[in-house]
Amino acid sequence: MKAQILVIGNEILNGKTLDTNSKVLAKELTKLGLDIQQIVVISDNQKTIISYLDKALTNAEFIFITGGLGPTSDDVTKQTLNDYFGYDLSMNQEVLAHIKSMFKNRYNSPINEQNIKQAMLPKQARIFINEYGTASGMWFKKNNSHCISLPGVPHEMKHLLIGQIVPTIKSEFNLPQNHIRTVNTIGLGESNIADRLTHWEKNLHPKISVAYLPDLGKVRIRVSTSDKDFQNAQLHINRAIEQLLPLIQDIYYGQDDRPIENVVAELLTEKSLTISCAESYTGGAIANQITSIPGASAYFKGGLVVYNNDMKTDLLGIPKSIIQKLGPANETIVEQMALGTQRRFETDIALATSGNAGPTQGDINVPVGTVFIGLAIMKKVETFEFKMNGPRKQVIERSLNKINELLFHHLK
Amino acid sequence: MKAQILVIGNEILNGKTLDTNSKVLAKELTKLGLDIQQIVVISDNQKTIISYLDKALTNAEFIFITGGLGPTSDDVTKQTLNDYFGYDLSMNQEVLAHIKSMFKNRYNSPINEQNIKQAMLPKQARIFINEYGTASGMWFKKNNSHCISLPGVPHEMKHLLIGQIVPTIKSEFNLPQNHIRTVNTIGLGESNIADRLTHWEKNLHPKISVAYLPDLGKVRIRVSTSDKDFQNAQLHINRAIEQLLPLIQDIYYGQDDRPIENVVAELLTEKSLTISCAESYTGGAIANQITSIPGASAYFKGGLVVYNNDMKTDLLGIPKSIIQKLGPANETIVEQMALGTQRRFETDIALATSGNAGPTQGDINVPVGTVFIGLAIMKKVETFEFKMNGPRKQVIERSLNKINELLFHHLK
């Protein structure tokens, strides 16, 4: 079944806000077996919304709308949808009670006028209560098309979608499975991989398509099929993947939605190894990535962000004279940092970074893009020098990928 | 002049990749004075692209396209646009030389077949060389409409756009200014602000519109006008802002694109104050935010991520007995953490966090969502307890906003 995603919001159209909702929607709906035709962003404007709906309802069975459900005057989605589908607004007592209790528990304040309005909802729509906010999910129907309106606040949208909308669709519609597999690699560029796989690609079943999705040192290879027959689709995809894997053994780390950092986390847990880090140019990004994975406290003992040379001496025991002689960014320093961190936190593994991520030269002893990584594993220590392109954020992102690549190869 | 943004990519349509390009485009084009009608995401499919172009070229003067310019077989944008506009592909020697030198400097490897193809470009299009990659920018023209194709890799797209496309449009087109001002607040909810501003909103000039953009503790108030007359527009917007500011003095921190963390960074610089942090549940997010602002090394001395109770004793000097008695998350511990960090790094200000950001209870002594923040400023130390809603990521994001709010009020 065909689906479209409509994002409503001037703040997205003028670039003030990044739209993350459509990614979450697209991912969940694709998993459900819906076929996303397009994602469209338009303004908070009654006429524009109606003209979009006129077209979309004839093209797609499902339309998912986010945004424009706030309590303030600029939010027009609810009124527009209610009028478009010819429904009637009335006070929903269950929603009103929910909003009242939310205000009491969260803000310890009585509900105000603006928020009471949030409980005025289209009587004929199916209503889904928003646990984290005041804007409810609403499900409208016209002929054979379904139009589902969700709030624009990302975590509210996500919870309504995953907790209520997805299970409802699953139980009420018999959707076909979507046949997509993604094979994840790290450490080799897109064009080099494509070169290596030319022969494999040429010999694939004609209904199999391949796409390469590069991302700062990682490349995902997506294998999909347009074959509507479930058995055939499975067969051809499995065969393609079976032939692919031996060709990429050296760079392969997993399939589908498992990020490299989660693979590394699982390996650390599996092997009962502990880890710590000392960061200079990555400024906390390594610790932040490690701790964003639930359960990290079992293996992550702690991290240091050393932006100051004295702290390298004080916290990590690197002699002042070495730093003065060599400068803060080089292989010797990251080696000493990794060893000092390993000692300090008493961990099996310690990571260290020092280098120049830009944007300007500053007073660092190496040019922008030159970075050093130190890796102490048990009684061994290794150091690496890299030249990385791109702005600061990319240099740090690439470094995180590189560190995960190094850890993965050591641990697997 | 009207503009549309077209994003091409199956990986966005199926939710594998977050589209950040359209935000960057929307922001820069709005600043230029273009009026973005819509953003559309469609698949890497020749037919779909052509049917979009047929409509878009009659509705908008500018169409910006990103994605689908890679060297692999799944990328069809270049060929499709070339055929659609009736141009001819030929080898662009300047681009070929650029790609060759890139490969030599970056990968220390000769260029391969796939990448040579990247220099085959539509002869009649204006070509913009991509400093960071192999996919060039291409500018097509049909009647009075311009179609500009840019690569999909975010930092490549951004550099081409800001470095070459925006200056070209600026110099060749006489675009009107866009009249939007955003006033930024922190510390009060959307509906409470709207309540407070009811009278102000009612008395605004009829051509002025107001929108509230909430974001985890921050609310931006956007004031815009549809008035096409430059003088009038300026006058009405200035007046609206002048009347607004006295009403929100207690929560106001700046205008337009200055994030609160940059305002705090400027205050630290201005007052020559130094800062450090010790993080438990924020896991490096504070250090990461501070160091993402260029020039942070002048005031940020370093940070600790203490995921381990022993480290709170070892690094921060908090007696083991206190941690054993009270548990790791409470006001006493964050007070001790802040003071210990301030001593350790010898900074004027030190921040500390401890609490439970979820997703599960774990072995922390407080429920999910309960967090403590400690703030040592000079010889004073303050502690705060908050109950925060939402998943882990939001709890951390809200905490960063709260910390910036606290710092801002202390420093201003």
Side-chain angles (χ1 to χ4, degrees), chain A residues 85-151:
Chain A
F85 287 95
Y87 290 5
D88 310 293
L89 290 181
S90 74
M91 184 60 68
N92 184 313
Q93 292 303 331
E94 202 188 344
V95 172
L96 184 64
H98 160 68
I99 297 176
K100 278 185 180 164
S101 94
M102 239 186 81
F103 266 72
K104 202 165 157 245
N105 295 334
R106 189 156 148 190
Y107 305 112
N108 203 11
S109 80
I111 182 171
N112 65 14
E113 265 307 310
Q114 306 268 8
N115 280 301
I116 288 177
K117 280 196 297 188
Q118 292 287 77
M120 285 291 290
L121 290 165
K123 215 164 47 185
Q124 297 88 337
R126 288 167 77 172
I127 300 299
F128 298 83
I129 291 187
N130 175 356
E131 192 190 338
Y132 291 112
T134 61
S136 303
M138 301 177 287
W139 184 319
F140 300 83
K141 201 170 176 284
K142 191 173 187 177
N143 305 325
N144 287 318
S145 290
H146 305 267
C147 175
I148 295 157
S149 161
L150 296 167

Side-chain angles (χ1 to χ4, degrees), chain B residues 119-257:
Chain B
M120 284 292 289
L121 291 165
K123 214 163 51 184
Q124 298 88 336
R126 287 167 77 170
I127 300 300
F128 298 83
I129 291 186
N130 174 356
E131 193 190 337
Y132 291 111
T134 61
S136 303
M138 302 176 286
W139 185 319
F140 300 83
K141 201 171 177 280
K142 190 172 189 176
N143 305 326
N144 285 320
S145 290
H146 305 268
C147 175
I148 296 158
S149 160
L150 296 167
V153 179
H155 74 276
E156 297 179 13
M157 196 291 295
K158 193 171 172 181
H159 271 81
L160 264 172
L161 177 71
I162 294 176
Q164 301 185 55
I165 304 297
V166 165
T168 305
I169 296 176
K170 243 187 204 159
S171 78
E172 297 180 11
F173 296 83
N174 189 14
L175 295 171
Q177 289 281 92
N178 230 321
H179 296 285
I180 300 175
R181 288 265 286 282
T182 311
V183 170
N184 306 318
T185 71
I186 192 162
L188 196 64
E190 178 185 10
S191 59
N192 286 312
I193 298 178
D195 259 6
R196 196 194 275 192
L197 300 181
T198 314
H199 182 77
W200 170 75
E201 268 202 66
K202 268 198 193 122
N203 290 294
L204 284 172
H205 188 276
K207 281 190 173 163
I208 292 277
S209 336
V210 175
Y212 297 88
L213 316 175
D215 176 24
L216 302 172
K218 297 180 288 196
V219 176
R220 291 172 296 164
I221 306 167
R222 198 186 58 216
V223 182
S224 59
T225 176
S226 53
D227 203 321
K228 300 285 171 219
D229 181 87
F230 182 83
Q231 298 260 319
N232 277 342
Q234 286 287 83
L235 194 76
H236 295 142
I237 291 218
N238 285 344
R239 220 173 139 200
I241 302 274
E242 239 167 64
Q243 294 168 338
L244 170 63
L245 293 183
L247 304 172
I248 52 165
Q249 258 184 318
D250 52 328
I251 51 173
Y252 170 76
Y253 69 83
Q255 287 184 37
D256 298 325
D257 288 331

Side-chain angles (χ1 to χ4, degrees), chain A residues 77-278:
Chain A
T77 304
K78 181 174 72 183
Q79 189 70 53
T80 305
L81 292 177
N82 182 72
D83 298 352
Y84 184 84
F85 287 95
Y87 290 5
D88 310 293
L89 290 181
S90 74
M91 184 60 68
N92 184 313
Q93 292 303 331
E94 202 188 344
V95 172
L96 184 64
H98 160 68
I99 297 176
K100 278 185 180 164
S101 94
M102 239 186 81
F103 266 72
K104 202 165 157 245
N105 295 334
R106 189 156 148 190
Y107 305 112
N108 203 11
S109 80
I111 182 171
N112 65 14
E113 265 307 310
Q114 306 268 8
N115 280 301
I116 288 177
K117 280 196 297 188
Q118 292 287 77
M120 285 291 290
L121 290 165
K123 215 164 47 185
Q124 297 88 337
R126 288 167 77 172
I127 300 299
F128 298 83
I129 291 187
N130 175 356
E131 192 190 338
Y132 291 112
T134 61
S136 303
M138 301 177 287
W139 184 319
F140 300 83
K141 201 170 176 284
K142 191 173 187 177
N143 305 325
N144 287 318
S145 290
H146 305 267
C147 175
I148 295 157
S149 161
L150 296 167
V153 179
H155 73 277
E156 297 179 13
M157 198 291 294
K158 194 172 171 180
H159 271 79
L160 264 171
L161 178 70
I162 294 175
Q164 301 185 57
I165 304 298
V166 164
T168 305
I169 296 177
K170 245 188 201 158
S171 78
E172 297 181 10
F173 296 85
N174 187 13
L175 294 171
Q177 289 281 88
N178 231 319
H179 296 285
I180 300 175
R181 286 265 286 283
T182 310
V183 169
N184 305 318
T185 71
I186 192 162
L188 196 64
E190 177 186 10
S191 59
N192 286 311
I193 297 179
D195 259 7
R196 197 195 273 193
L197 300 180
T198 314
H199 182 75
W200 171 76
E201 268 202 67
K202 267 197 194 123
N203 291 294
L204 285 171
H205 188 277
K207 279 188 175 167
I208 294 277
S209 332
V210 175
Y212 297 89
L213 315 175
D215 176 24
L216 302 172
K218 295 181 289 197
V219 176
R220 290 173 295 164
I221 306 168
R222 196 185 60 218
V223 182
S224 59
T225 175
S226 54
D227 203 320
K228 299 285 172 218
D229 180 85
F230 182 83
Q231 298 259 319
N232 277 341
Q234 287 287 84
L235 193 79
H236 295 144
I237 290 217
N238 285 344
R239 206 157 157 219
I241 302 273
E242 239 167 65
Q243 293 169 338
L244 169 63
L245 293 183
L247 303 173
I248 52 166
Q249 260 185 317
D250 52 326
I251 52 174
Y252 171 75
Y253 69 83
Q255 288 184 36
D256 298 325
D257 288 332
R258 277 173 81 217
I260 181 83
E261 57 269 27
N262 289 55
V263 175
V264 168
E266 282 160 32
L267 287 167
L268 288 171
T269 309
E270 202 181 295
K271 295 180 190 281
S272 302
L273 294 171
T274 55
I275 192 165
S276 59
C277 59

Side-chain angles (χ1 to χ4, degrees), chain A residues 17 39 41 72-73 106 112 115 155 190-191 195 201 220 283 287-288 291 301-305 308 389 392, chain B residues 17 39 41 72-73 106 112 115 190-191 195 201 220 283 287-288 291 301-305 308 389 392 394:
Chain A
T17 301
I39 299 166
V41 184
T72 49
S73 57
R106 189 156 148 190
N112 65 14
N115 280 301
H155 73 277
E190 177 186 10
S191 59
D195 259 7
E201 268 202 67
R220 290 173 295 164
N288 202 19
T291 59
K301 294 304 165 202
L304 303 167
V305 181
N308 184 304
N389 267 300
R392 181 179 181 84
Chain B
T17 301
I39 300 167
V41 183
T72 49
S73 57
R106 190 155 148 191
N112 66 11
N115 280 300
E190 178 185 10
S191 59
D195 259 6
E201 268 202 66
R220 291 172 296 164
N288 202 19
T291 59
K301 295 304 166 204
L304 303 168
V305 181
N308 184 305
N389 267 298
R392 183 178 179 82
Q394 257 82 38

